[in-house]
Amino acid sequence: MNFEIIAQSMPLLLAGAGITIEISALSVGLGLLIGIVVGVCRVCNNKPLRYFSAFYVEIIRGTPLLVQIFVVYFALPMVTGSRVDPFVAAIAACSINSGAYVAEIFRGGIQSIDVGQMEAGRSLGLTWSQTMHFIILPQAFKRIIPPLGNEFIAMLKDSSLVSVIGFEELTRRGQLIIARTYASLEIWMAVAFIYLVMTFTISRFVAYLERRYRND
Amino acid sequence: MIKIRGLKKNFGNLEVLKGIDLDVAEKEVVVIIGPSGSGKSTLLRCINYLEEPTSGTIEIDGMELTSEANINAVRREVGMVFQRFNLFPHMTVLENLKLAPMKVRSISQGEAENMSLELLEKVGLASKANSYPEQLSGGQQQRVAIARALAMKPKALLFDEPTSALDPEMINEVLDVMKELAHEGMTMVVVTHEMGFAREVGSRVVFVDGGMILEEAPPKEFFANASNERTRRFLSKIL
């Protein structure tokens, strides 16, 4: 192990980790928004909305993220005729992808709430949306914190795929440094360690949320 | 107040209600009894459209239930108390009561709070306003559920076996609240196995079996000399 190489490469790797964090944070945030909306649509009474949301989930979950990134970045411009900014393409592909998984997590959470809760809300004159908003979702949210944590960690790791459209995020930086230094062992260890620090931080945060909501 | 005509309800191929006609006048307490699986709960749940009838009409206070909009309007006026309470576990008792009046009737936070505390006083649980449902006994939870239904100032209340999920020693505290409501003139439709309650405060007892109303009479008459054979057999088992 040549620790000097690790030390020298650290600024470059950390800059790459910054990009990894930026892309995953934005994708997770947007994915969460998409997921809530689509997840609620999956259980709503409107048939077209229900079918459309199921279709979205099946398509996205059934194709690789790598292919989705290629579709957004290379294939879409051939249809629209205008280039897509790589940053926009990366965020779009990752958040649309994450949204499908988050939607399924929300659907599961909503369906795990006793039907009596919806009935009680409706019997009081609340509309379906009001009951969903004030009664079902707050309860469902507490239950889905652990699987949401999983999804966020998975997104952070999967964000390495955006290197294919030119992003020098953490994994890509590692590759480039190795191409120059041949220090495979040191650099991959360092890259793995940085990922681990990031994912461990997320899992600690999720554990904190779980504790906080349990004591409520 | 409530007028049901030719009410039928199928679950798939199973015909649960086979044509029910029932009227409930203002201030009446109608007690629905019958063996399990007779359709009595389904009948009650059709009244506020928690179950959508397959055919037939339901009129509440002169308004026929048809569109989504007037179903919401009617549900405001008809409260429901469930067997399993169905309190909102993530809210305090007070929040459980305040929510619907504030969102549906758009009354202010302060007004909702005052009214809720008054209702909790009425069911003897003012001291539990800031507790969460899980911290209460079954009987207390059901009394909160009744108060929550009352917070909407309903014109009628539906009770779906309100004491069936309770330990025996807690049944009376709930029945006492219901009796008080009956004496105050609340219109009530009650599905229950509590024959004492039916006898004491019921204006009418309705016997349902096999998805049909087989007998309907004031409690005295009903319990003393039921005319229908199946009613008598049912009564002989439970009395």
Side-chain angles (χ1 to χ4, degrees), chain A residues 171-194:
Chain A
T171 305
R172 181 75 186 140
R173 287 277 164 106
Q175 270 180 329
L176 292 174
I177 294 169
I178 291 164
R180 195 155 36 80
T181 62
Y182 301 105
S184 284
L185 173 70
E186 288 82 355
I187 298 301
W188 284 134
M189 284 296 141
V191 166
F193 182 75
I194 296 173

Side-chain angles (χ1 to χ4, degrees), chain A residues 40-215:
Chain A
V40 169
C41 287
R42 288 277 271 155
V43 297
C44 75
N45 294 321
N46 184 310
K47 251 191 187 166
L49 274 182
R50 230 170 35 225
Y51 285 138
F52 180 76
S53 53
F55 179 75
Y56 161 74
V57 169
E58 287 304 331
I59 295 290
I60 297 302
R61 224 176 26 173
T63 54
L65 175 57
L66 186 57
V67 172
Q68 290 161 13
I69 293 170
F70 284 145
V71 166
V72 173
Y73 189 62
F74 295 114
L76 224 52
M78 304 195 71
V79 181
T80 61
S82 61
R83 270 181 60 90
V84 181
D85 180 72
F87 184 74
V88 173
I91 300 295
C94 288
S95 52
I96 290 171
N97 179 275
S98 187
Y101 290 95
V102 173
E104 283 300 274
I105 293 172
F106 264 93
R107 181 174 69 90
I110 290 167
Q111 288 176 335
S112 78
I113 304 298
D114 183 55
V115 291
Q117 293 288 306
M118 179 55 87
E119 292 183 347
R122 300 308 303 277
S123 79
L124 288 166
L126 295 167
T127 63
W128 187 89
S129 315
Q130 285 175 323
T131 311
M132 198 40 97
H133 177 175
F134 297 111
I135 296 164
I136 310 291
L137 283 177
Q139 294 183 60
F141 188 72
K142 278 187 211 177
R143 293 194 190 176
I144 63 173
I145 290 172
L148 275 183
N150 272 345
E151 171 53 27
F152 294 165
I153 287 172
M155 188 72 255
L156 186 108
K157 294 182 295 175
D158 289 348
S159 68
S160 63
L161 290 171
V162 301
S163 60
V164 297
I165 54 171
F167 271 99
E168 290 185 20
E169 43 66 67
L170 180 53
T171 305
R172 181 75 186 140
R173 287 277 164 106
Q175 270 180 329
L176 292 174
I177 294 169
I178 291 164
R180 195 155 36 80
T181 62
Y182 301 105
S184 284
L185 173 70
E186 288 82 355
I187 298 301
W188 284 134
M189 284 296 141
V191 166
F193 182 75
I194 296 173
Y195 272 114
L196 202 57
V197 169
M198 294 192 288
T199 52
F200 187 71
T201 308
I202 299 178
S203 62
R204 288 294 80 205
F205 179 64
V206 169
Y208 158 77
L209 282 183
E210 266 183 77
R211 265 198 318 278
R212 211 193 99 172
Y213 280 109
R214 197 176 317 130
N215 296 338

Side-chain angles (χ1 to χ4, degrees), chain B residues 188-235:
Chain B
M188 294 160 68
V189 182
V190 185
V191 170
T192 187
H193 298 293
E194 293 298 325
M195 297 305 144
F197 175 84
R199 239 191 262 263
E200 198 180 327
V201 296
S203 347
R204 211 158 13 117
V205 180
V206 173
F207 179 69
V208 176
D209 194 13
M212 289 182 294
I213 292 181
L214 296 186
E215 186 140 11
E216 212 180 325
K220 252 196 197 130
E221 199 177 311
F222 183 92
F223 289 109
N225 39 19
S227 53
N228 187 291
E229 159 67 24
R230 260 197 284 178
T231 315
R232 264 179 309 202
R233 221 183 314 139
F234 178 74
L235 287 176

